[in-house]
Amino acid sequence: MRKTEYPEPIRQLIAQLRQMPGVGPRSAERIALWIIRSRNDHPEQITNAITAARQAVRPCARCGFFATEELCDICADATRAADQLCVVEQATDILPLEKTSAFRGHYHSLGGRISPLDHVAPEDLRIKELIARVEAEKFSEVIFALAADVEGEATTNYLVELLKPTGVTLSRIAHGLPAGGGLESADELTLYQALSGRRQL
Ligand SMILES: [Zn+2]
C-alpha cells in the first residue's frame, strides 16, 4: 500500500526548513504548513528579511562583530575606552558582555578557539589580526573572556604567551562561566562578576 504524503513542494519546504538550527521534523512541518496556508504576506516578509540581512550584514573589519558598515557600532563609537580590549571566542559572545555594562572598551572576536579535535589551528583564527591590533592600538589592558573549559583555557594560554612580549597588561575574567557553554549561556550577573573580578596574568 502506498503511503499518502504531502505534495513534493511541501516536502521540499519541510526538508529546507529542517536545515535550520533547532528545527526538528515536527516544527519544520508546522512551519511549512503555516507558510502554505498563510492568508497574508508574512511568509514573503520573512523571505525579504532573510535576503536583506544576508546582503547587509558582514563581519566588522576590526573586531569581527556584526556590522553593516566597514566598522561595527562598537568600533565606531568614539566614547568607548580606547585603551581596553576584551578578547572573545565568537562574535555572539559580545552582546552578553555588553548587557552587563561592566565593560566599555573594545572587543576582538577570534572566530573560535584552538581545537585540534575539530581541526581548528591558530592560523584558522583571527590571531594575526589580534597581535596587529595590540601593536598598533596601544591598549593598556587586554582581557581574555574565553570559556573556562579545556580548549578555552588552552587558547587563552596560547595567546598570553604570544602577547607577553608586547608588555601590555594581560588579565582574564574570573572563573565561573559554564564549561563548554561559552558566554552565550551565562547569565548577566555571572558575567558581570566574572568581568569585575578579573585577575592579572
Ligand atoms: Zn567592530
Side-chain angles (χ1 to χ4, degrees):
M1 195 183 81
R2 195 173 166 275
K3 207 168 128 231
T4 308
E5 287 189 85
Y6 289 121
E8 170 64 17
I10 297 184
R11 280 187 281 146
Q12 262 302 323
L13 183 54
I14 292 172
Q16 292 299 331
L17 290 168
R18 280 199 65 183
Q19 297 191 55
M20 294 179 169
V23 177
R26 286 180 71 94
S27 306
E29 184 178 334
R30 278 218 312 275
I31 298 168
L33 294 174
W34 171 80
I35 290 171
I36 298 294
R37 296 196 290 212
S38 249
R39 289 200 189 145
N40 48 42
D41 67 345
H42 288 165
E44 284 72 24
Q45 286 177 26
I46 292 172
T47 310
N48 294 342
I50 291 173
T51 310
R54 283 183 54 85
Q55 279 171 356
V57 180
R58 53 183 163 169
C60 169
R62 192 175 292 161
C63 75
F65 188 58
F66 303 96
T68 52
E69 309 281 336
E70 194 194 355
L71 294 183
C72 71
D73 287 348
I74 297 172
C75 286
D77 184 350
T79 69
R80 298 186 69 102
D83 64 332
Q84 284 190 321
L85 184 71
C86 180
V87 180
V88 296
E89 290 178 17
Q90 301 287 352
T92 47
D93 295 334
I94 292 174
L95 279 186
L97 289 168
E98 278 295 286
K99 285 196 192 120
T100 68
S101 314
F103 181 74
R104 288 290 296 164
H106 287 267
Y107 293 96
H108 188 89
S109 158
L110 296 167
R113 69 261 201 79
I114 301 168
S115 170
L117 285 178
D118 297 319
H119 306 287
V120 181
E123 53 270 25
D124 298 318
L125 305 173
R126 299 179 65 249
I127 292 176
K128 260 204 311 258
E129 291 86 343
L130 172 65
I131 309 287
R133 284 187 75 182
V134 171
E135 282 168 355
E137 293 181 49
K138 308 274 172 259
F139 299 108
S140 62
E141 183 182 10
V142 175
I143 303 155
F144 295 98
L146 282 72
D149 56 8
V150 177
E151 288 174 344
E153 292 283 311
T155 307
T156 299
N157 293 339
Y158 178 87
L159 295 174
V160 165
E161 289 310 311
L162 271 183
L163 289 175
K164 256 184 192 160
T166 66
V168 67
T169 298
L170 303 172
S171 63
R172 64 181 307 157
I173 59 171
H175 281 268
L177 295 182
L183 294 184
E184 275 175 275
S185 51
D187 66 80
E188 253 173 65
L189 183 64
T190 309
L191 278 182
Y192 182 86
Q193 288 165 341
L195 263 168
S196 319
R198 63 181 182 266
R199 57 186 171 79
Q200 204 171 315
L201 293 163

